[in-house]
């Protein structure tokens, strides 16, 4: 559900989304079985002017309905398969036209309820959802396809290109990226989710109104809640109300022992995608690089990675700025400061000019007070529970090691081309086992080592520069700080190759690669340990405190 539920005007494209305020005017039966929506939920244009006592009565009955957390009728509970939500690259989020209601179906429970704000860029939201829901299968299928190409290359079925005086493969890169990207976009997950625009008929005013009565029931029937967290989320009244209803329906969340509340920063998806693209391009550049001299190869690769690093550094700095701003909003959260549409128009309906008799904020306030005892108690609950969920899922570093491994998986695909090429060339076959070992070392420790230092530097230099030039210098400084770590890893590999990789000494290269693995692991462990300690010491203001 989104904050757009509060829109009552029809002038904006977003206002075709579920609207919150219509329901506030409608008489609601206390007995669900006796509800007559034709009588109890009339069109807003048909509403007569009512006095304040009648408005209070209707408000009390509406609040009582929501508090029960039971559906008014079974047909109102509708869900949509996740793959339909992400169809056409998440079309439901970025187009103002189309009837998506027909894609949903009746249900008795939801695997996940999506709570998000419509005030943020749609493409960032789509990227995040694709990474969260399709990222793992994309990594597995892309890597499996690349490994299959390693096998097929050995049979000579696939053409290649001449490099270093023998045939070189590029099929692992091509097939890995093709399968990975296709899976990311077209993976068909059948998990049933609630998405406001797809599960509410946008052309049926009564159903929009009735949906408010059932918000508690829908969240009670949801096995998990996914919050797309951004700077605007805590300001949106009905986004916060969804969170309140879920906390009430699932008290185990407040204990901190359950992970059914998933809170993900909006910028996380874009940051992961940027890292995936950068490491894949770096690996592909290494495959297609025509140079034969070892020093020339690494020099060109480092120059290429410098330009990539600038883009990645700029993105990560933005990620930390966004996370800091969102965390600041969370620490300062108070329900009374949340944006309320009807209050913003001075309780006059722009479409009809008639007074809005019942305030949306009052509906939320009374429900929250009933559920949590007071607004203040609810404010504290939101600050502590959301903060704990963020800290639990992101860690004090705000970018977990597991996310780093997932983001750098595309690097494996072009590196597999080296293994395939060396294994297929008789005079280079002795290098294949050592390359397989080094690929694993680069993925697990070699790349995460400089990346860890770069994350810390980006966090330190997250603040935007006063001018574009100063901001560029900050971005460049992040690269300068992280680059020595990358050079140490590369220098370590070059040293191993120059001293131990000799065709005449076949067998030495395997244990030399194990020596390379050990060195990378030690460097990464030391950097990660320092990273954790530094984050806890220097970024207390950014640490998501749960108190």
């Amino acid at each position: 559900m989104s904050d757009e539920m509060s829109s009552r005007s029809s002038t904006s494209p977003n206002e075709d989304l579920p609207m919150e305020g219509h329901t506030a005017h409608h008489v609601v039966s206390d007995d669900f079985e006796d509800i007559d929506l034709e009588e109890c939920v009339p069109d807003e244009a048909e509403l007569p002017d009512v006095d304040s006592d009648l408005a209070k009565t209707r408000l009390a009955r509406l609040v009582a309905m929501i508090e029960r957390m039971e559906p008014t009728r079974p047909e109102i509970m509708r869900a949509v398969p996740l793959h339909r939500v992400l169809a056409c690259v998440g079309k439901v989020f970025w187009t103002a036209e189309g009837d998506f209601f027909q894609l949903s179906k009746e249900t008795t429970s939801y695997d996940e309820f999506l709570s998000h704000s419509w005030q943020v860029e749609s493409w960032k939201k789509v990227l995040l959802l694709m990474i969260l829901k399709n990222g793992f299968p994309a990594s597995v299928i892309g890597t499996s396809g690349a490994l299959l190409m390693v096998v097929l290359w050995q049979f000579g079925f696939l053409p290649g290109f001449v490099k270093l005086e023998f045939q070189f493969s590029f099929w692992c890169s091509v097939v890995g990226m093709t399968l990975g990207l296709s899976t990311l976009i077209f993976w068909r997950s059948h998990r049933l989710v609630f998405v406001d625009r797809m599960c509410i008929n946008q052309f049926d005013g009564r159903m929009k109104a009735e949906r408010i009565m059932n918000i508690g029931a829908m969240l009670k029937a949801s096995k998990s809640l996914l919050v797309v967290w951004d700077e605007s989320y805590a300001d949106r009244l009905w986004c916060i109300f969804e969170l309140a209803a879920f906390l009430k329906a699932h008290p185990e969340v407040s204990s901190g022992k359950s992970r059914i509340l998933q809170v993900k920063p909006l910028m996380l998806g874009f940051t992961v995608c940027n890292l995936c693209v950068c490491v894949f391009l770096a690996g592909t550049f290494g495959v297609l690089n025509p140079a034969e001299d070892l020093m020339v190869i690494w020099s060109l690769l480092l120059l290429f990675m410098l330009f990539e690093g600038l883009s990645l550094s700029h993105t990560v700095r933005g990620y930390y700025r966004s996370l800091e701003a969102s965390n600041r909003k969370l620490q300062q959260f108070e329900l009374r400061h949340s944006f309320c549409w009807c209050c913003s128009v001075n309780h006059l309906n722009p479409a009809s000019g008639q007074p809005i008799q019942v305030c949306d904020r009052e509906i939320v306030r009374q429900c929250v007070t009933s559920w949590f005892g007071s607004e203040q108690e609810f404010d504290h609950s939101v600050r502590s529970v959301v903060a704990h969920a963020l800290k639990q899922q992101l860690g004090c570093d705000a970018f977990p090691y597991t996310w780093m491994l997932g983001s750098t998986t595309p690097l494996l695909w072009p590196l597999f081309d080296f293994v395939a090429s060396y294994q297929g060339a008789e005079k280079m076959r002795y290098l294949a086992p050592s390359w397989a070992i080094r690929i694993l070392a680069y993925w697990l420790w070699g790349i995460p080592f400089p990346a860890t230092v770069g994350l810390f530097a980006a966090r330190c230099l997250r603040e935007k520069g006063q001018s574009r030039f100063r901001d560029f210098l900050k971005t460049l400084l992040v690269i300068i700080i992280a680059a020595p770590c990358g050079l140490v890893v590369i220098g370590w590999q070059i040293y191993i190759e120059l001293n131990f990789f000799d065709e005449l000494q076949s067998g030495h290269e395997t244990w030399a690669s194990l020596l390379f693995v050990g060195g990378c692991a030690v460097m990464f462990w030391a950097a990660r340990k320092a990273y954790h300690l530094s984050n806890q010491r220097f970024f207390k203001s950014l640490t998501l405190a749960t108190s």
Side-chain angles (χ1 to χ4, degrees):
M1 175 73 102
S2 74
D3 52 281
E4 289 301 328
M5 287 175 57
S6 60
S7 300
R8 293 193 176 111
S9 171
S10 59
T11 57
S12 169
N14 280 343
E15 289 166 3
D16 287 335
L17 298 169
M19 301 189 292
E20 67 187 31
H22 288 186
T23 310
H25 306 277
H26 303 148
V27 180
V28 181
S29 172
D30 287 329
D31 187 352
F32 295 161
E33 296 181 357
D34 296 334
I35 283 181
D36 181 358
L37 288 177
E38 291 298 322
E39 177 182 352
C40 298
V41 189
D43 289 334
E44 185 169 331
E46 301 171 357
L47 289 173
D49 192 12
V50 294
D51 57 32
S52 59
D53 290 337
L54 182 54
K56 290 179 181 178
T57 301
R58 289 180 171 178
L59 171 63
R61 297 171 71 180
L62 175 59
V63 170
M65 174 75 73
I66 298 174
E67 287 177 351
R68 293 183 183 183
M69 292 190 170
E70 295 293 338
T72 55
R73 54 192 174 98
E75 309 89 81
I76 196 67
M77 305 281 285
R78 299 184 68 87
V80 61
L82 180 59
H83 70 87
R84 294 191 181 276
V85 178
L86 297 177
C88 300
V89 198
K91 182 179 180 180
V92 66
F93 295 107
W94 50 261
T95 183
E97 301 177 355
D99 181 9
F100 299 97
F101 179 70
Q102 59 184 340
L103 301 177
S104 64
K105 60 183 180 181
E106 293 182 22
T107 186
T108 57
S109 64
Y110 304 91
D111 292 314
E112 193 166 67
F113 188 107
L114 177 61
S115 182
H116 62 105
S117 167
W118 288 93
Q119 303 302 309
V120 299
E121 297 94 334
S122 299
W123 64 270
K124 291 182 180 179
K125 194 183 307 180
V126 172
L127 272 182
L128 176 62
L129 292 176
M130 283 189 167
I131 291 296
L132 289 176
K133 305 305 179 183
N134 299 349
F136 180 73
S139 298
V140 171
I141 292 176
T143 303
S144 300
L147 287 172
L148 179 61
M149 293 302 104
V150 173
V151 175
L152 293 180
W153 178 263
Q154 309 311 312
F155 294 98
F157 297 152
L158 304 173
F161 66 98
V162 178
K163 178 179 177 178
L164 301 177
E165 299 181 353
F166 63 93
Q167 285 290 312
F168 220 85
S169 167
F170 59 86
W171 289 99
C172 300
S173 304
V174 173
V175 172
M177 176 52 70
T178 301
L179 291 179
L181 189 59
S182 299
T183 305
L184 186 68
I185 297 174
F186 301 112
W187 181 253
R188 294 180 64 86
S189 172
H190 293 278
R191 285 171 56 87
L192 293 179
V193 300
F194 177 90
V195 177
D196 43 18
R197 196 176 183 190
M198 304 183 79
C199 298
I200 301 296
N201 191 340
Q202 302 302 305
F203 303 98
D204 186 339
R206 288 180 175 81
M207 189 175 185
K208 290 182 183 180
E210 189 184 4
R211 189 259 179 257
I212 279 295
M213 306 177 199
N214 292 274
I215 183 173
M218 292 176 177
L219 284 155
K220 183 179 180 180
S222 300
K223 298 176 184 176
S224 64
L225 175 69
L226 173 60
V227 173
V228 179
W229 187 259
D230 68 278
E231 297 176 38
S232 70
Y233 187 92
D235 292 333
R236 315 311 297 182
L237 182 67
W238 286 93
C239 287
I240 292 300
F241 185 65
E242 290 169 357
L243 181 58
F246 188 78
L247 295 179
K248 172 62 179 178
H250 301 274
E252 65 271 21
V253 176
S254 300
S255 67
K257 298 179 181 180
S258 175
R259 287 181 176 265
I260 60 175
L261 173 62
Q262 293 290 312
V263 184
K264 301 300 181 184
L266 177 70
M267 282 291 292
L268 184 61
F270 177 60
T271 304
V272 169
C273 285
N274 198 312
L275 182 55
C276 287
V277 171
C278 285
V279 297
F280 176 76
L281 291 179
T284 303
F285 183 84
V287 171
L288 301 179
N289 190 337
E292 297 187 4
D293 183 82
L294 184 63
M295 299 304 295
V296 174
I297 291 176
W298 280 110
S299 298
L300 292 175
L301 183 59
L302 287 174
L303 183 63
F304 182 79
M305 292 175 65
L306 172 63
F307 289 102
E308 284 192 324
L310 291 173
S311 172
L312 188 57
S313 172
H314 179 75
T315 300
V316 174
R317 288 179 58 230
Y319 168 70
Y320 279 122
R321 280 198 305 272
S322 174
L323 192 61
E324 181 184 29
S326 299
N327 184 57
R328 190 183 301 115
K329 283 284 186 70
L330 176 61
Q331 293 174 341
Q332 299 171 352
F333 169 75
E334 291 184 11
L335 179 62
R336 61 192 180 92
H337 292 154
S338 297
F339 175 81
C340 175
W341 181 84
C342 62
C343 295
S344 70
V345 296
N346 200 25
H347 298 91
L348 289 175
N349 194 313
S352 64
Q354 294 185 3
I356 299 174
Q357 298 294 335
V358 179
C359 178
D360 295 336
R361 187 185 301 280
E362 191 62 21
I363 300 174
V364 174
R365 190 191 68 78
Q366 289 197 25
C367 287
V368 163
T369 301
S370 174
W371 288 337
F372 295 89
S374 68
E375 285 187 55
Q376 292 72 26
E377 189 64 30
F378 171 67
D379 293 343
H380 173 75
S381 181
V382 169
R383 287 193 292 264
S384 60
V385 171
V386 175
H388 179 81
L390 279 170
K391 185 175 182 179
Q392 186 182 51
Q393 295 161 30
L394 295 181
C396 63
D397 311 326
F399 200 88
Y401 173 62
T402 52
W403 278 86
M404 194 179 296
L405 290 182
S407 303
T408 54
T409 296
L411 176 66
L412 298 176
W413 307 334
L415 292 184
F416 286 159
D417 278 317
F418 283 92
V419 176
S421 302
Y422 291 151
Q423 182 65 29
E426 185 174 353
K427 68 176 183 178
M428 304 294 288
R429 190 164 296 161
Y430 73 100
L431 288 176
S434 62
W435 258 94
I437 295 172
R438 280 187 289 168
I439 286 174
L440 189 62
Y442 265 108
W443 182 51
L444 293 176
W445 305 296
I447 300 298
F449 169 45
T452 296
V453 177
L455 285 174
F456 181 75
R459 197 170 189 178
C460 292
L461 300 169
R462 64 190 179 278
E463 295 297 335
K464 205 168 184 65
Q466 296 179 352
S467 65
R468 288 187 178 182
F469 179 70
R470 291 185 178 182
D471 195 63
F472 172 77
L473 290 181
K474 283 191 170 186
T475 300
L476 183 61
L477 185 57
V478 173
I479 302 300
I480 294 174
I481 293 173
C485 299
L487 291 175
V488 167
V489 175
I490 293 172
W492 179 237
Q493 174 173 323
I494 293 176
Y495 173 80
I496 295 293
E497 289 183 350
L498 293 178
N499 289 273
F500 298 101
F501 282 36
D502 188 339
E503 188 175 1
L504 299 177
Q505 298 176 328
S506 182
H508 290 189
E509 60 278 349
T510 300
W511 72 262
S513 293
L514 294 175
L515 181 62
F516 173 75
V517 169
C520 289
V522 170
M523 288 184 284
F524 170 73
W525 179 85
R528 201 70 184 176
K529 194 71 174 178
Y531 181 53
H532 287 315
L533 295 175
S534 300
N535 275 324
Q536 293 173 358
R537 179 174 181 180
F538 296 109
F539 295 114
K540 291 182 180 180
S541 61
L542 281 180
T543 299
L544 300 165
T546 58
S547 60

